[in-house]
Amino acid sequence: MRKTLSLGVVAGAVLALGFVAPASAATGNAQLSVLHGIPDTPVDVYVNGDLTLDDFQPGDLAGPLELPAGDYEVALTAPDAADASSPVLGPATVTLAAGGNYTAVAHLSATGDPTLTPYQNDVAPLGAGEGRLTVRHDAAAPAVDVLAGGAPVIEGLTNPGESTLTLPAGVISASVAAAGTTDPVIGPADVDVREGALTIVYAWGSLEDGNLALATQTIEGLHSNPSGVPSGSGGQLAARDAGAQSLVLAGGIALAAVAAFATTRVVRSSRSTR
């Protein structure tokens, strides 16, 4: 059995195996991460026909890879496939813009079909003492509410939507419930919203199959100048009243491009709510 490629090997493969920008690519690089959110389905990931992620397991997050801006063709195959000629998902053409930061998520649609959603991560500078939290619904489940301290802070989020909050840095006890309810289907779990960082929480898996799970990605270095002030921890969001919470429910969101995934059906790529 092959081993999962390390990030360094992946990056090397990207550069050495011809994963290069087309002639029309814009000047500059983009950053790409890939999350595997399809339960019980290990895959291999090919980019421009080259094996880039080997034996990629559900729940794994790879990257970020720094890549030249441009278009790339991504295909997913069964593990140990000889090449990308018989993909189980894709190939899909994805576009990276110069300076962009992306996460491509292979996951289940609301109805349980494997699909790919490319997200663009909001890496705009944050104010001192602030962190950014993005929640993405990538699970085979109906609309959900995200609760903090038992109160909804994000309501009616549907697959493959996302919502972003800018918050004081700290630890939030968060859970996910069916929209309009407060009985958690995921969590509660502590989410560390770091000062000067984007914390992305993905809900993935299947409600019907009872394998819902959370995955977390953190992107550091979003401090504005001056960088950081002392900030508290421990349930600031929970302590905030519902009115104040609703005011911060306007967030950066995003869009964009990349990756692909597998099982037995080919799926579409789609996008998020704001």
Side-chain angles (χ1 to χ4, degrees), residues 73-191:
E73 188 171 81
V74 179
L76 296 163
T77 72
D80 297 329
D83 53 40
S85 59
S86 299
V88 292
L89 185 61
T93 300
V94 296
T95 301
L96 303 181
N101 189 308
Y102 305 93
T103 301
V105 182
H107 63 101
L108 298 176
S109 68
T111 55
D113 295 321
T115 190
L116 165 72
T117 299
Y119 296 95
Q120 184 170 6
N121 303 317
D122 183 356
V123 292
L126 287 158
E130 291 182 338
R132 182 174 293 126
L133 173 65
T134 293
V135 179
R136 291 172 175 163
H137 184 334
D138 295 310
V144 298
D145 291 347
V146 178
L147 312 177
V153 292
I154 297 172
E155 297 179 273
L157 189 63
T158 57
N159 183 320
E162 63 179 352
S163 189
T164 297
L165 310 174
T166 299
L167 303 166
V171 177
I172 296 170
S173 178
S175 57
V176 177
T181 72
T182 56
D183 187 16
V185 293
I186 306 178
D190 287 341
V191 178

Side-chain angles (χ1 to χ4, degrees), residues 6 11 24 37 39 45 53 61 67 80 94 123-124 126 163 188 191 233 269 272:
S6 69
S24 59
V45 180
L53 294 172
L61 175 70
L67 304 171
D80 297 329
V94 296
V123 292
L126 287 158
S163 189
V191 178
S233 63
S269 175
S272 64

Side-chain angles (χ1 to χ4, degrees), residues 4 34-37 53-63 104 204 215 261:
T4 301
V34 181
L35 174 67
H36 187 338
L53 294 172
D54 181 33
D55 198 22
F56 200 38
Q57 295 291 322
D60 283 355
L61 175 70
W204 63 280
F261 243 88

